[in-house]
Amino acid sequence: SKHGLRRLTLRRVRKAGATCGRLFFTCSDKACNHFVWADAAFPKCACAKAPVVALRVSKKASSGGRWFFGCRGDEKQRCNFFQWAAPEVSHAFGDLLSPLT
């Protein structure tokens, strides 16, 4: 496909709303309108409004740099979903995934 990892950019939705925090792929070519959710296969939490969890990186000294899944709901409506991400999850994104994504 013309959208191999070299042509894709991984982004996170920053706009407030139901999709805030979700990861998606877009083409690096500004003339292309390619878009696909990058987190479609991520686990789901129990939250009704935003069940697709976020992939985050741990910032604690004991587990620093390790990726995990957590509820992406706002602080007032967040469930306690937590699951360490298998190394294959972060490897699947190649060099596109960084702690700042």
Side-chain angles (χ1 to χ4, degrees), residues 7-93:
R7 298 250 350 243
L8 292 178
T9 301
L10 181 65
R11 299 182 188 246
R12 184 180 303 271
V13 176
R14 305 247 184 245
K15 187 176 178 180
T19 60
C20 186
R22 289 196 64 185
L23 294 175
F24 64 94
F25 289 114
T26 186
C27 185
S28 57
D29 179 354
K30 301 293 183 198
C32 179
N33 63 0
H34 177 78
F35 172 94
V36 65
W37 290 115
D39 59 6
F42 287 4
K44 309 288 189 265
C45 68
C47 293
K49 288 188 176 185
V52 176
V53 298
L55 182 62
R56 297 187 172 108
V57 67
S58 175
K59 296 176 184 152
K60 293 183 178 180
S62 62
S63 59
R66 190 168 174 196
W67 292 94
F68 69 93
F69 295 109
C71 179
R72 62 181 180 81
D74 64 33
E75 290 188 28
K76 294 179 183 178
Q77 298 178 336
R78 185 178 295 164
C79 73
N80 292 323
F81 183 89
F82 175 89
Q83 178 183 323
W84 288 113
E88 302 82 46
V89 172
S90 59
H91 294 301
F93 290 104

